[in-house]
Amino acid sequence: MEVQGRIKMIGETQTFGANGFKKREIVVTTEEQYPQHILVEFVQDKTDLLNNYQVGQQVKININIRGREWVNPQGETKYFNSIQGWRIEALQQEPMGDNLPPVPPADAFEPAGDLNDDDHDDLPF
């Protein structure tokens, strides 16, 4: 899966526990009718992927959704979701228009002069 949008925030790399688990968060704001602020985590060696990006840049992030189960001290089971990024790439700003070559005006074409009224049913279907 992927999420696209403009970078709103890039956090610092955080280290947790005795094993040195590393995590870095980024928030991407989608550009749609109702923009969403999506928090994406990059973990371990993937945290360095964010070094070359800045707030305001448009990006596409490839993600995996992760879920965890946790039982609290009272014995209640809780579930948590996270979005983990594993690849990020910058999106180029699209120039206005749809990059199609210009179409010449209709009067730039010469009319066909060799039409024969008897040939109107020569289509193969």
Side-chain angles (χ1 to χ4, degrees):
M1 293 191 277
E2 64 186 41
V3 62
Q4 290 186 27
R6 190 172 300 278
I7 297 174
K8 180 175 184 152
M9 183 278 299
I10 301 177
E12 296 296 321
T13 301
Q14 301 171 322
T15 305
F16 301 94
N19 293 335
F21 177 80
K22 294 190 320 181
K23 177 174 90 167
R24 191 169 183 191
E25 298 175 334
I26 183 173
V27 174
V28 175
T29 302
T30 62
E31 295 181 340
E32 52 195 341
Q33 183 177 0
Y34 300 105
Q36 302 295 306
H37 306 287
I38 308 294
L39 175 72
V40 180
E41 301 174 340
F42 284 78
V43 297
Q44 299 299 75
D45 60 332
K46 302 295 184 190
T47 59
D48 293 336
L49 295 176
L50 301 179
N51 291 343
N52 298 321
Y53 294 91
Q54 320 173 359
V55 171
Q57 199 169 7
Q58 287 212 344
V59 292
K60 176 173 75 171
I61 302 175
N62 294 87
I63 61 170
N64 291 324
I65 296 178
R66 299 285 183 216
R68 291 181 301 288
E69 179 180 85
W70 176 69
V71 179
N72 69 14
Q74 292 78 30
E76 299 170 326
T77 302
K78 304 284 184 175
Y79 296 92
F80 298 92
N81 298 321
S82 63
I83 300 172
Q84 282 190 356
W86 53 274
R87 186 165 97 185
I88 182 171
E89 61 185 89
L91 294 178
Q92 300 299 322
Q93 293 290 348
E94 294 292 324
M96 295 306 283
D98 46 9
N99 295 331
L100 294 176
V103 177
D107 60 356
F109 297 98
E110 290 185 34
D114 60 348
L115 292 178
N116 183 349
D117 288 337
D118 296 334
D119 291 339
H120 70 283
D121 271 338
D122 63 347
L123 296 176
F125 48 88

